[in-house]
Amino acid sequence: LTGKDSGMANYIAFAAEHPIAASAQNSENAKKEAKTEISDLLGNAVLKGLGKNALEIVASSEKDPLAIINESLIPALNKAGELFSGGKMFLPQLLMCADAASAVFSHLKQKMPANLGNNAKKIVMATVKGDIHDIGKNIVRVLLENYGYEVIDLGRDVSYETILYSTKQNNVRLVGLSALMTTTVPAMRETVEILHRECPDCKVMVGGAV
């Protein structure tokens, strides 16, 4: 809370040494279930949230950027999702993983052909009004961008008016809406209804815990 433990690394290390956690890790089955490594060196650095290490690895790599994304980054993010869903990875670690992946993606973008996005299909993305959670949205945005899509990210706590305006203004045919809190269901419903009514050719993709 005071900002003295960056990324909660010290707290996570302390929790791992707790008697309950330590005793659980002593069994072979628990070790297999809690395994947080993948064979790929770059992917493993991203999975562990080691952004600096990941950038050093990717900077020295001669592989094609899209091959790196498909063979290293996406498997790492998929693994992070599995571990998070299974309660074996926690929010601070997930954030560090996402930050490391974003840093690598940004580096790879510079190596990609300049004309890759010239004919890219546009997608509007936003976290709906009343919700400020955007981790999932940001991960999806990064993946879409690195598959050649042009993502118009409107951010979080976005009104349906702003989403509708951006969709019409940019002639978009796909809108991605995100929400975590159950209190945002009315805002989500209203946004979807407005888009269906005002932009009948536009499809809506919805994500988030709620």
Side-chain angles (χ1 to χ4, degrees):
L1 294 175
T2 60
K4 293 179 180 177
D5 184 9
S6 179
M8 298 189 191
N10 294 335
Y11 180 75
I12 291 167
F14 162 78
E17 297 296 324
H18 190 278
I20 296 174
S23 63
Q25 287 181 343
N26 284 334
S27 76
E28 286 303 313
N29 288 339
K31 282 181 180 178
K32 288 176 184 176
E33 288 177 4
K35 187 176 181 184
T36 59
E37 292 191 6
I38 52 180
S39 58
D40 179 72
L41 191 64
L42 173 60
N44 196 45
V46 170
L47 182 62
K48 292 187 173 181
L50 304 174
K52 186 178 178 182
N53 290 24
L55 282 174
E56 289 173 356
I57 294 168
V58 79
S60 62
S61 175
E62 297 296 326
K63 289 178 71 173
D64 177 73
L66 281 177
I68 293 174
I69 291 167
N70 289 326
E71 297 169 16
S72 299
L73 296 186
I74 290 177
L77 291 171
N78 286 341
K79 183 67 176 176
E82 290 173 18
L83 292 168
F84 185 72
S85 297
K88 300 179 182 74
M89 178 180 276
F90 303 97
L91 191 57
Q93 295 158 295
L94 189 66
L95 284 167
M96 289 189 289
C97 174
D99 286 344
S102 294
V104 173
F105 277 133
S106 296
H107 178 84
L108 290 174
K109 240 180 183 179
Q110 300 169 18
K111 294 184 175 183
M112 288 181 172
N115 63 348
L116 184 65
N118 284 356
N119 299 312
K121 292 183 179 178
K122 295 179 181 179
I123 298 174
V124 165
M125 293 193 74
T127 299
V128 298
K129 187 72 178 173
D131 203 322
I132 59 170
H133 299 88
D134 62 357
I135 298 171
K137 173 183 67 65
N138 292 346
I139 292 174
V140 173
R141 182 199 71 222
V142 169
L143 288 171
L144 288 170
E145 284 176 341
N146 285 276
Y147 270 104
Y149 292 93
E150 180 184 342
V151 180
I152 302 164
D153 189 351
L154 302 179
R156 52 193 185 176
D157 192 22
V158 184
S159 69
Y160 70 81
E161 292 97 340
T162 301
I163 295 169
L164 178 61
Y165 175 80
S166 182
T167 302
K168 285 184 170 182
Q169 188 76 5
N170 294 284
N171 195 29
V172 168
R173 289 295 172 264
L174 178 61
V175 175
L177 302 176
S178 177
L180 176 72
M181 302 162 61
T182 55
T183 53
T184 59
V185 170
M188 181 72 81
R189 182 186 296 115
E190 187 173 26
T191 304
V192 172
E193 287 176 352
I194 296 260
L195 285 169
H196 282 167
R197 185 171 69 245
E198 299 291 331
C199 306
D201 294 335
C202 180
K203 298 191 181 210
V204 182
M205 175 174 59
V206 172
V210 66

